[in-house]
Amino acid sequence: MHNHLRHSLVAQILDCIVDAHDRHTMLLAALVCAVGIYASIAIARHAARSSGAVRIRWGSTSVLSSGCTAWATHFIVLLAYQPNMRVAFEPVLTAISLTCAVVGIGGGVVVSLSSRRGPRQFAAGVIIGVGVAALHYVGQSAYLVQGTIRWDLTLVIPSIIVSLPIFGFSMMAIASRNRTWQTCAAPLMLLGIAILHFCGMAAMTLQQDPSIEFPSDAVAPQTITPIVAGISLALIALAFLGWRFDLAATARIRQDRKRLRDLADVALEGLLITQNNIIIAANRSIERLSGLKQDDLTGSEVSRLLPALELTTLLENEEREANLIGVDGIIVPVRVLRSTVPLGHSVQTVIAVRDQRERLRTEEKMRRLAFADPLTGLPNRTKFTELLERHTCTERRTDQGLAILLIDLDSFKIVNDTLGHAVGDAVLQDVSIRLSTLVKDRGIVARLGGDEFVVMLTGDVSDVSAFDIASKVVEQLGARPFDIDGRTIHIGASVGLALFPEDGGDPSSLLRNADLAMYLAKSEGKGTVRRFEKILHERLQERQSLEAGLRIALSSGQLEVHYQPLVDAASGRITSAEALVRWRHPSLGLIAPATFISLAEETGLIVPLGTFVLKTACAEAATWPPEIGLAVNLSPAQFHDKSIASIVASAIEDAHLLPQRLEVEVTEGVLLADTGATLETLNRLRSMGVRVSMDDFGTGYSSLSYLRRFPFDRLKIDRSFVRGIPSDAESVAIARAIITMSTCLGLLVTVEGVETAEQYAFAVSEGCTSIQGYYISRPMRAEAFAAFLIAWNNQAPPNPSTGRKIAEKSIVLHHSDLRSVLNW
Ligand code: C2E
Ligand code: CA
Ligand code: CA
């Protein structure tokens, strides 16, 4: 630089830095530069934190301070330059240089704020660069020496060309989100400034010329130094202010963070406050959830707690399932929700962590409940069907046996109705325990609903072993009574058996066929096991067609009432008749009630059927001589109908029949349930004048105590006891005992099913009230009965044992006959 020219450019610049500058002043320049930059940045940060007018004020201050920093640094370095000749400063250009710096930086900041995008930031950097370059070269033009200054443009132009992009990149780095890029911003900016300054200095060649006079307004360095010092002091003051602003902001952030943390601690949900994947704070719920202390968690990465959670792909307010790894590696299923919360001027990510264990447990419980019967805990119908489906699939592959036992409890309804649902429930629970104990691991027990259970036998199942277990089921449930709260309860079970694949190739037909078999077991006297047979299908169909036929019969007058006379034992005269229903089928002929009464009871058809019989018989009896009575059978279903008394009343009223002529016959089954209502109905009928007799006495469950409790007028000794008379001593003894007992109780007694003269004579000699049976007559149609009645009672004196009429032999198709007709 001095007067001689160096060839190497680098050496030229180095020389300029090392030789021509005063070290202490250079140090001062660096200090002022650093303080100025800190002040500018701190004030800019404060501006960014504020808003409105305050923001604009502090923003402009920051721009001004950075311009001054650049200018002051530049002039301190210029002052440090010692060219060994007198120097001075041109005041206008000096002022312009300061303006250039401020305007350039200000313009750059404005452009930079307009958009964060790269090109815009680059442009902002270039504008700042232009300002700084202008500061340098205008400032240097204001530099006056006692001599001539020659500019080496080969240094000036490249210095500008090289430094402008560097400023551009520096601004891009400031705006960048990349951390390493960001740290490059300040060094790049300094590099740009250094290139401009030192190239500019190196490009100057000074030629001393004492003849040259300074212009009159030239300012001596001694004058400019206090100005520079003043600006520097102002920068220091500004830096102090910026530092205070920073302190206050940090305190505020700390306070905010504490408040957030306090708030987070009362939240039930776990909350993690994070920044850049690092946990800054965790609340107490997180401690409880993970078993880790808050202090251990802060500072560690989010992945330590939630390893599989990819935070970068988790959107704002998106919920996701994850696993939290707690102390000792315990895994807690959680749901996380991410949201961003502004804190001070920074933005933090809050991860809400919700414990899912309770929810999963509840779900599991619900799932179990949906598939289990709540009363017994056994699988329910849905679950059983699923299991059956799965097993039939595997069985098909492994070729092992599978059997279905469909179990229906006998007389459970009576238990439920008479003893209440609590007792019924307890019985069902006991049944489930007995079945499970019996089946053990040989299969699965399930409750299909109501009193219906099912067992699926799996493994090594043969028809013999399945039948064996089914029989044990019947025995377990039937032979041993249930003890509920000190009450002894007898029930039984009917079991339908179906084997896979013989009795049904798919789950639904297997179940349906087991059901059919069970139905057969029920109809054949209950308490038994039946295996499915193909013929069952046909029977079911017949039953269904029978039901449909019975409905038609009711509406199209195919039902008729026959009458069987009852003879007074003492006088031998007919005193009354029992009405017995028949079905005159268009193609099958006359069908006996045994075939369709139980069906009518099951389907509810018994009520209209019974009313028909009652009305028809009353109307018919009204045409008989007034001393002849009428007996009508009432089934339990009719009897439990609350309106039965009024139905009876209207039937006798319509027929103008004296109530005293009517007698209703009920079986012991009527007495089993609902004693209060039964008693009430009995009393109402009797208060009307209608008599009530107990039919089929001795065949049901009745005990003698019933006879005391319920007000009957008559007992009818069942046929089964009469059949053995006179040969079977036991039958004789029973019949005799019943007759004696009834007489003692003041009851009338009828002996039913008298077929022989011996039986007739026995009944007469034992002192029963009346006699009914084929020996006198079979039931007959109304007209036949009217004729029979006149003929019989007109015999004088009637001597039944010798002079009895030959009973009309009406052609009645009985159940057994029908079976052969239908090929049952
Ligand atoms: P039940 O009330 O015991 O009627 C007597 C049954 O015994 C009648 O059978 C009758 O024909 C039969 N019988 C009478 N004397 C003799 C005899 O000497 N030997 C034999 N072997 N049998 C005799 P039926 O008419 O077939 O009725 C059977 C059952 O059907 C009746 O038994 C009764 O329980 C029921 N029933 C008949 N008609 C009606 C009705 O209108 N309503 C209701 N609810 N049930 C009826
Ligand atoms: Ca009867
Ligand atoms: Ca009877």
Side-chain angles (χ1 to χ4, degrees):
M1 273 208 20
H2 301 164
N3 290 340
H4 50 272
L5 226 130
R6 296 275 167 82
H7 291 291
S8 152
L9 198 67
V10 179
Q12 194 181 340
I13 294 168
L14 280 175
D15 260 6
C16 169
I17 297 169
V18 179
D19 304 341
H21 287 80
D22 174 71
R23 300 261 164 81
H24 294 103
T25 321
M26 285 291 281
L27 216 65
L28 187 69
L31 205 70
V32 168
C33 182
V35 168
I37 288 175
Y38 172 73
S40 307
I41 291 173
I43 297 295
R45 267 205 295 261
H46 183 63
R49 283 191 293 259
S50 339
S51 59
V54 181
R55 186 184 186 132
I56 293 170
R57 191 161 65 231
W58 288 114
S60 330
T61 310
S62 169
V63 167
L64 194 69
S65 86
S66 42
C68 288
T69 305
W71 184 84
T73 310
H74 176 69
F75 270 85
I76 295 172
V77 176
L78 265 189
L79 288 172
Y81 184 52
Q82 290 153 347
N84 295 330
M85 56 187 101
R86 264 185 61 208
V87 296
F89 293 94
E90 211 289 308
V92 178
L93 281 177
T94 305
I96 289 176
S97 72
L98 175 61
T99 316
C100 284
V102 174
V103 169
I105 291 171
V109 168
V110 169
V111 172
S112 149
L113 289 177
S114 66
S115 156
R116 266 190 89 96
R117 295 187 42 215
R120 193 63 68 88
Q121 295 302 321
F122 189 81
V126 171
I127 292 169
I128 291 171
V130 169
V132 176
L135 158 74
H136 274 93
Y137 289 111
V138 175
Q140 262 173 267
S141 314
Y143 192 64
L144 304 172
V145 291
Q146 207 170 30
T148 53
I149 300 176
R150 213 160 34 78
W151 287 96
D152 179 0
L153 286 182
T154 57
L155 264 178
V156 173
I157 293 165
S159 77
I160 295 172
I161 292 173
V162 170
S163 66
L164 290 190
I166 291 177
F167 281 103
F169 287 129
S170 163
M171 281 309 282
M172 281 173 78
I174 288 174
S176 147
R177 290 176 200 281
N178 184 305
R179 286 220 119 197
T180 37
W181 237 130
Q182 273 178 5
T183 51
C184 292
L188 278 173
M189 189 71 83
L190 282 176
L191 179 68
I193 294 170
I195 288 173
L196 282 176
H197 181 82
F198 293 107
C199 286
M201 294 307 270
M204 276 199 307
T205 309
L206 307 178
Q207 195 78 55
Q208 206 173 17
D209 183 353
S211 67
I212 287 179
E213 282 292 322
F214 287 135
S216 58
D217 59 351
V219 180
Q222 293 86 336
T223 317
I224 206 109
T225 311
I227 298 173
V228 173
I231 288 178
S232 303
L233 281 176
L235 285 175
I236 290 170
L238 217 53
F240 180 72
L241 198 65
W243 175 64
R244 290 301 305 265
F245 284 154
D246 271 357
L247 273 188
T250 318
R252 223 175 13 250
I253 288 174
R254 203 171 292 141
Q255 206 180 9
D256 280 359
R257 201 172 276 169
K258 188 181 164 335
R259 206 174 299 146
L260 192 69
R261 205 174 164 147
D262 289 349
L263 213 65
D265 271 344
V266 296
L268 277 177
E269 247 169 30
L271 293 173
L272 287 173
I273 301 165
T274 71
Q275 206 165 20
N276 300 314
N277 275 341
I278 302 292
I279 298 171
I280 296 173
N283 70 348
R284 292 222 182 86
S285 291
I286 289 281
E287 281 191 332
R288 277 194 295 272
L289 213 60
S290 65
L292 293 162
K293 286 264 151 265
Q294 288 185 14
D295 293 345
D296 296 337
L297 286 168
T298 40
S300 61
E301 289 201 7
V302 176
S303 59
R304 176 179 167 195
L305 266 187
L306 300 158
L309 181 71
E310 272 196 50
L311 263 184
T312 44
T313 61
L314 187 63
L315 301 176
E316 178 79 4
N317 289 325
E318 185 200 324
E319 276 191 50
R320 202 178 282 179
E321 304 277 342
N323 278 330
L324 182 139
I325 308 294
V327 72
D328 297 333
I330 59 152
I331 297 172
V332 184
V334 291
R335 249 182 118 72
V336 296
L337 172 87
R338 172 210 167 117
S339 53
T340 24
V341 177
L343 200 72
H345 68 288
S346 69
V347 167
Q348 305 198 324
T349 304
V350 175
I351 303 171
V353 182
R354 190 176 300 165
D355 190 353
Q356 296 296 291
R357 285 175 294 190
E358 189 57 36
R359 183 181 66 88
L360 293 175
R361 263 199 295 272
T362 319
E363 271 178 14
E364 168 61 22
K365 206 166 137 196
M366 302 276 285
R367 222 177 55 81
R368 257 209 321 273
L369 278 180
F371 288 113
D373 167 43
L375 180 67
T376 59
L378 293 177
N380 63 8
R381 184 182 285 273
T382 318
K383 181 70 186 169
F384 181 76
T385 321
E386 187 196 308
L387 289 170
L388 182 60
E389 242 152 57
R390 205 182 306 155
H391 271 87
T392 46
C393 284
T394 38
E395 259 16 91
R396 219 170 261 137
R397 270 184 276 116
T398 56
D399 207 28
Q400 275 190 312
L402 191 151
I404 295 292
L405 315 184
L406 206 93
I407 302 154
D408 194 278
L409 303 184
D410 302 331
S411 345
F412 178 74
K413 197 177 153 8
I414 293 172
V415 170
N416 229 8
D417 287 351
T418 52
L419 303 174
H421 289 277
V423 176
D425 285 355
V427 169
L428 290 175
Q429 282 167 338
D430 272 13
V431 167
S432 83
I433 293 168
R434 285 194 195 179
L435 287 177
S436 305
T437 321
L438 177 72
V439 173
K440 289 202 195 86
D441 52 0
R442 280 176 289 193
I444 295 156
V445 183
R447 180 176 171 220
L448 296 182
D451 59 350
E452 210 175 56
F453 290 82
V454 67
V455 173
M456 172 168 61
L457 297 174
T458 51
D460 200 9
V461 183
S462 66
D463 49 353
V464 177
S465 67
F467 200 91
D468 182 49
I469 293 176
S471 308
K472 283 198 180 119
V473 167
V474 170
E475 192 188 299
Q476 275 290 320
L477 302 182
R480 215 151 43 86
F482 290 81
D483 181 20
I484 310 288
D485 295 337
R487 257 187 243 261
T488 308
I489 295 165
H490 289 271
I491 57 162
S494 304
V495 181
L497 173 64
L499 274 88
F500 178 82
E502 306 93 289
D503 301 340
D506 60 274
S508 63
S509 57
L510 197 62
L511 265 179
R512 197 184 53 236
N513 292 342
D515 197 52
L516 273 177
M518 188 275 291
Y519 181 80
L520 178 71
K522 272 236 172 270
S523 69
E524 290 189 355
K526 303 180 174 173
T528 51
V529 183
R530 280 289 170 275
R531 184 175 164 188
F532 169 75
E533 302 158 40
K534 294 236 163 27
I535 203 157
L536 278 176
H537 253 313
E538 292 151 30
R539 280 206 203 176
L540 184 78
Q541 272 162 9
E542 273 156 17
R543 202 187 126 82
Q544 280 164 349
S545 67
L546 195 68
E547 187 190 330
L550 190 57
R551 281 178 201 280
I552 297 167
L554 255 170
S555 58
S556 63
Q558 290 174 16
L559 295 180
E560 51 188 58
V561 184
H562 287 201
Y563 303 89
Q564 187 178 32
L566 272 81
V567 165
D568 180 66
S571 65
R573 293 173 68 86
I574 294 172
T575 48
S576 66
E578 180 178 0
L580 295 158
V581 71
R582 265 99 186 96
W583 176 5
R584 194 167 293 280
H585 195 278
S587 55
L588 298 172
L590 211 56
I591 303 176
T595 312
F596 59 90
I597 287 290
S598 63
L599 180 78
E601 280 176 337
E602 282 167 32
T603 54
L605 283 171
I606 191 69
V607 177
L609 187 148
T611 310
F612 163 80
V613 173
L614 193 66
K615 284 189 180 295
T616 314
C618 285
E620 193 59 50
T623 67
W624 301 337
E627 71 276 11
I628 306 297
L630 167 74
V632 176
N633 293 286
L634 290 185
S635 84
Q638 273 175 287
F639 200 82
H640 292 138
D641 183 350
K642 295 228 166 12
S643 56
I644 187 65
S646 50
I647 291 173
V648 171
S650 77
I652 44 182
E653 217 175 277
D654 291 354
H656 303 294
L657 192 78
L658 276 177
Q660 288 70 22
R661 289 179 66 189
L662 180 67
E663 190 167 309
V664 294
E665 300 189 357
V666 295
T667 50
E668 294 157 313
V670 163
L671 310 176
L672 275 175
D674 204 0
T675 47
T678 308
L679 204 58
E680 201 187 305
T681 308
L682 280 178
N683 284 331
R684 277 191 66 190
L685 288 169
R686 294 187 80 229
S687 69
M688 278 158 49
V690 174
R691 277 179 300 186
V692 184
S693 56
M694 183 182 268
D695 206 354
D696 304 341
F697 186 76
T699 54
Y701 318 80
S702 62
S703 62
L704 292 175
S705 67
Y706 281 145
L707 294 177
R708 299 180 68 90
R709 197 141 31 108
F710 297 100
F712 287 103
D713 298 288
R714 183 195 298 272
L715 278 191
K716 295 185 80 173
I717 301 176
D718 192 66
R719 259 203 328 271
S720 53
F721 301 111
V722 181
R723 204 177 297 133
I725 296 172
S727 54
D728 177 39
E730 199 179 347
S731 296
V732 169
I734 291 173
R736 186 171 286 155
I738 296 174
I739 294 170
T740 314
M741 179 198 69
S742 318
T743 320
C744 289
L745 287 170
L747 296 173
L748 306 169
V749 194
T750 298
V751 180
E752 281 190 301
V754 171
E755 291 182 351
T756 63
E758 289 87 0
Q759 289 166 351
Y760 189 98
F762 172 83
V764 172
S765 67
E766 288 302 320
C768 78
T769 323
S770 55
I771 300 161
Q772 182 182 0
Y774 291 173
Y775 181 66
I776 299 156
S777 170
R778 285 183 178 252
M780 51 201 144
R781 300 176 71 162
E783 318 82 68
F785 171 72
F788 183 82
L789 174 66
I790 293 165
W792 184 280
N793 278 359
N794 283 348
Q795 277 184 348
N799 185 351
S801 54
T802 53
R804 76 178 178 94
K805 299 251 172 175
I806 298 300
E808 183 198 293
K809 219 170 155 72
S810 54
I811 304 135
V812 175
L813 214 52
H814 277 262
H815 187 71
S816 49
D817 310 326
L818 190 73
R819 266 193 138 181
S820 59
V821 172
L822 290 171
N823 201 15
W824 279 22

